[in-house]
Amino acid sequence: CLTMFQAKLLTFQLESSHVAFTASYLQSIAFDHYTVLLQFDPNSPVLSNQQAFAQEFSSKFGVFDTVAEAKQNLFNLQMCNNKRFTTFIVHFKKEAYESGWNYNTLWFAFCHALLQCIKDILCLALKQPSYNGYKTLITQIDQQYWEDCSKYLALQVPWNSSRNSNWPTGATAGN
């Protein structure tokens, strides 16, 4: 929401428009609560003040302890086989900032969440002097993996297949 508010300053000049836009993302019982406020208490400060709105809805429907949730998310976070490292690191950083954990704890969680094949390669690679060094190295490993996958997949498409865009329409293997 904050990105949208910054991008469209004229549209979101009024604080009540911030509230209305934010409310458009509500679901189920939280949305029902918002609808009740609109119908039966249209002058409620919750409908015109972003801070009052956030306080009302987070106290009733939000996460009570965002730090505990971030820690739990970090504990459960795993890099997926079919996802790029960049996707993983974005999720990891988001939770890491929220957790308040120290560097050593975050490093343990980071290493724990990596795919085993990446851990195996890291054991063979030169020790990196910093977290950013490891991030760069893992990004390179990941990029090489995805390049290799795309080359392998390209070899899987038969040269006379309809999926091969270089094959003339209507041509057959004997022509």
Side-chain angles (χ1 to χ4, degrees), residues 11-23:
T11 304
F12 295 105
Q13 283 180 346
L14 300 175
E15 197 166 354
S16 60
S17 61
H18 289 213
V19 171
F21 181 78
T22 305

Side-chain angles (χ1 to χ4, degrees), residues 84-138:
R84 294 185 181 267
F85 174 70
T86 306
T87 303
F88 164 77
I89 199 65
V90 168
H91 292 294
F92 183 85
K93 282 182 177 181
K94 176 187 176 291
E95 302 300 343
Y97 290 130
E98 289 283 327
S99 73
W101 280 352
N102 67 30
Y103 176 81
N104 291 334
T105 307
L106 286 171
W107 180 248
F108 176 81
F110 176 79
C111 292
H112 174 74
L114 291 174
L115 292 171
Q116 186 60 48
C117 60
I118 290 177
K119 292 178 195 176
D120 293 343
I121 293 169
L122 290 177
C123 287
L124 301 173
L126 291 174
K127 184 173 177 161
Q128 298 301 304
S130 67
Y131 166 74
N132 284 334
Y134 279 104
K135 251 185 9 184
T136 301
L137 178 59
I138 294 168

